């Protein structure tokens, strides 16, 4: 089986979990629940929840403990996409070949659907049968990684980069926050769910940060030619960017190669480094 097939199987598993874990529709506010499900069930590779699942399995965790964490981070990711697509942000009409949420449900309902997914994520996370201390640690991490010192802070810098040239250091910070934080969060949530020790956490963080940066550089290569925005190709040639991706991918793989059963995660790092648009 090639890795793409394996990833599709894992994504399908997460899809089913998402469907089962989203809240039941309240007939008095049906449009909200319809809008939440429209985006949350839109598919995709489910990279973040898959990372959480795979790290939990790597360290001997139970799926029932990690799946609420995995679905919670995917709900947060989905909320961010709904808001990113809004006219006041990226103003996109389509995502994954389907009309964006605000095109189907209207601006206000899309905003509220994103808000609802963000808050419901924490409700879902707390349904895990993991120990209470683990759940509190996971909730704190998710809040930090998604908030002003994480993803949202990165989005602010990204907005500045639409009209001003960011320094290379600021570009690195923006991507560490906007893209890297949720990837780090996903990996660590899996490790937390499995009760990982300090060395496991350290190696998980090295993998996550290397993969997160490689992921964004690859995105910039795939979006080559995008006007008016500071990207890694503002500072690197395509060949230099590819060399950096290769080095980061090797760093990620090396960090976890000491653990038996790490092959799926190393294959995922390779897949992300070589994905196509």
């Amino acid at each position: 089986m090639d890795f793409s097939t394996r990833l599709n199987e894992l994504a399908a598993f997460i899809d089913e979990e998402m469907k089962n874990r989203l809240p039941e529709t309240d007939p008095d506010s049906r449009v909200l629940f319809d809008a939440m499900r429209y985006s949350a069930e839109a598919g995709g590779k489910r990279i973040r929840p898959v990372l959480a699942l795979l790290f939990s399995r790597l360290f001997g965790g139970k799926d029932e403990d990690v799946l609420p964490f995995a679905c919670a981070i995917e709900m947060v990711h989905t909320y961010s996409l709904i808001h990113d697509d809004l006219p006041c942000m990226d103003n996109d009409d389509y995502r994954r070949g389907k009309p964006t949420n605000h095109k189907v449900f209207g601006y206000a309902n899309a905003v509220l659907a994103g808000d609802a997914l963000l808050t419901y994520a924490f409700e879902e996370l707390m349904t895990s049968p993991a120990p209470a201390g683990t759940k509190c640690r996971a909730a704190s991490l998710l809040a930090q990684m998604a908030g002003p010192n994480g993803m949202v802070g990165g989005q602010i810098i990204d907005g500045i980069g639409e009209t001003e040239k960011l320094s290379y250091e600021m570009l690195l910070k923006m991507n560490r926050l906007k893209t890297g934080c949720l990837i780090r969060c996903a990996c660590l949530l899996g490790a937390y769910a499995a009760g990982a020790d300090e060395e496991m956490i350290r190696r998980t963080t090295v993998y996550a940060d290397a993969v997160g940066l490689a992921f964004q550089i690859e995105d910039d290569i795939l979006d080559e030619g995008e006007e008016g925005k500071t990207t890694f190709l503002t500072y690197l040639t395509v060949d230099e960017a590819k060399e950096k991706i290769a080095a980061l991918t090797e760093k990620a793989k090396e960090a976890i190669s000491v653990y038996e059963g790490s092959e799926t995660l190393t294959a995922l790092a390779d897949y992300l480094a070589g994905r196509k648009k």
Side-chain angles (χ1 to χ4, degrees), residues 53-264:
L53 179 65
L54 291 179
F55 267 100
S56 177
R57 289 177 175 178
L58 178 66
F59 298 136
K62 300 175 183 177
D63 282 5
E64 57 264 35
D65 287 347
V66 75
L67 282 169
F69 294 2
C71 290
I73 197 165
E74 187 66 357
M75 291 173 191
V76 171
H77 179 232
T78 303
Y79 120 77
S80 75
L81 298 180
I82 293 173
H83 284 194
D84 275 353
D85 291 336
L86 291 170
C88 63
M89 298 282 282
D90 291 343
N91 195 24
D92 287 324
D93 292 342
Y94 292 91
R95 180 171 290 277
R96 299 184 183 128
K98 296 173 60 178
T100 47
N101 197 289
H102 66 277
K103 286 293 180 180
V104 177
F105 298 97
Y107 196 145
N109 289 328
V111 170
L112 292 171
D115 293 345
L117 283 165
L118 172 60
T119 48
Y120 189 75
F122 290 90
E123 183 177 343
E124 173 57 32
L125 183 150
M126 296 305 290
T127 67
S128 170
T134 300
K135 290 190 285 190
C136 288
R137 189 183 187 192
S140 178
L141 177 73
L142 182 57
Q144 180 185 354
M145 294 291 100
N149 293 308
M151 180 185 68
V152 175
Q155 288 173 321
I156 289 291
I157 299 173
D158 190 30
I160 295 169
E162 296 279 355
T163 56
E164 300 177 18
K165 182 179 178 181
L166 301 176
S167 69
Y168 187 69
E169 292 72 22
M170 190 62 73
L171 178 66
L172 286 172
K173 180 177 182 178
M174 183 266 285
N175 286 297
R176 175 174 57 82
L177 296 175
K178 183 182 178 184
T179 302
C181 274
L182 282 196
I183 289 177
R184 178 193 278 200
C185 185
C187 298
L188 288 175
L189 286 177
Y192 288 0
D197 61 30
E198 287 187 11
E199 179 62 10
M200 291 172 175
I201 294 294
R202 186 189 72 79
R203 288 181 176 273
T204 298
T205 303
V206 171
Y207 174 99
D209 289 350
V211 164
L213 183 53
F215 184 95
Q216 186 57 56
I217 298 173
E218 182 65 26
D219 260 5
D220 287 354
I221 292 174
L222 294 174
D223 292 336
E224 185 182 5
E226 187 173 315
E227 297 294 332
K229 186 174 182 179
T230 311
T231 74
F232 282 101
L233 296 187
T234 305
Y235 292 98
L236 304 172
T237 67
V238 172
D239 285 343
E240 288 170 339
K242 288 180 177 178
E243 287 175 7
K244 193 164 185 65
I245 291 168
L248 288 164
T249 301
E250 287 306 309
K251 182 179 181 180
K253 291 159 61 176
E254 183 180 343
I256 60 165
S257 62
V258 298
Y259 299 111
E260 184 178 353
S262 62
E263 296 82 7
T264 304

